[in-house]
Amino acid sequence: MSGAEGIESIESSVWTDLAIGVPALLGALCFAVAVLAAYRVRDALGRINTMSVATSLGFVLFIVAAFAHVTVREGFTWTVLAEALVAVFATFVVVTIASMSIARAVFRSGAPLDPNTDVSDLRGDGQEQR
């Protein structure tokens, strides 16, 4: 038993292994697909956009796998659930702010952009480019 509010740990079985393994593998797959997609994108802004989505989704799936692992090993506790929820929320906040900051720095650095990239929103003056 893990703590006063905990429930007895669960015996490991195929189902518990799947509850841990499937989210972990899907998280790894998110990163692998993003890396492959990043090679197809022609400019840095597109690559940042591709990697930010994969990072947030991949990390959330890793957090779900870690929560399932701890629950199987030590039993369910509200504390572990709260930690997992805080980690998911923090992941979304940090990845969003980080990708926006990196994208803004890339844009301001004058890095070459793909001709198909619409920069009217990136200029910051509110006027559309025609």
Side-chain angles (χ1 to χ4, degrees):
M1 183 112 84
S2 172
E5 73 273 5
I7 299 174
E8 293 286 330
S9 65
I10 302 168
E11 285 294 319
S12 182
S13 69
V14 173
W15 296 111
T16 57
D17 292 343
L18 285 173
I20 297 167
V22 168
L25 289 174
L26 287 175
L29 183 66
C30 284
F31 283 105
V33 168
V35 167
L36 294 175
Y39 281 114
R40 296 188 54 153
V41 179
R42 295 184 181 133
D43 61 356
L45 289 177
R47 289 183 178 159
I48 292 167
N49 187 33
T50 302
M51 294 306 291
S52 67
V53 172
T55 302
S56 61
L57 184 58
F59 276 137
V60 167
L61 288 168
F62 286 147
I63 292 167
V64 169
F67 172 73
H69 174 71
V70 170
T71 301
V72 167
R73 270 187 89 193
E74 300 175 7
F76 175 83
T77 62
W78 289 103
T79 305
V80 174
L81 177 63
E83 289 172 352
L85 292 175
V86 167
V88 167
F89 176 74
T91 297
F92 285 132
V93 170
V94 169
V95 168
T96 302
I97 292 172
S99 64
M100 289 293 294
S101 298
I102 294 169
R104 186 175 203 93
V106 166
F107 181 73
R108 287 185 172 184
S109 74
L113 299 176
D114 184 7
N116 295 328
T117 301
D118 182 18
V119 295
S120 61
D121 289 339
L122 300 175
R123 286 192 322 221
D125 60 4
Q127 298 176 5
E128 289 220 15
Q129 180 180 7
R130 299 217 186 241

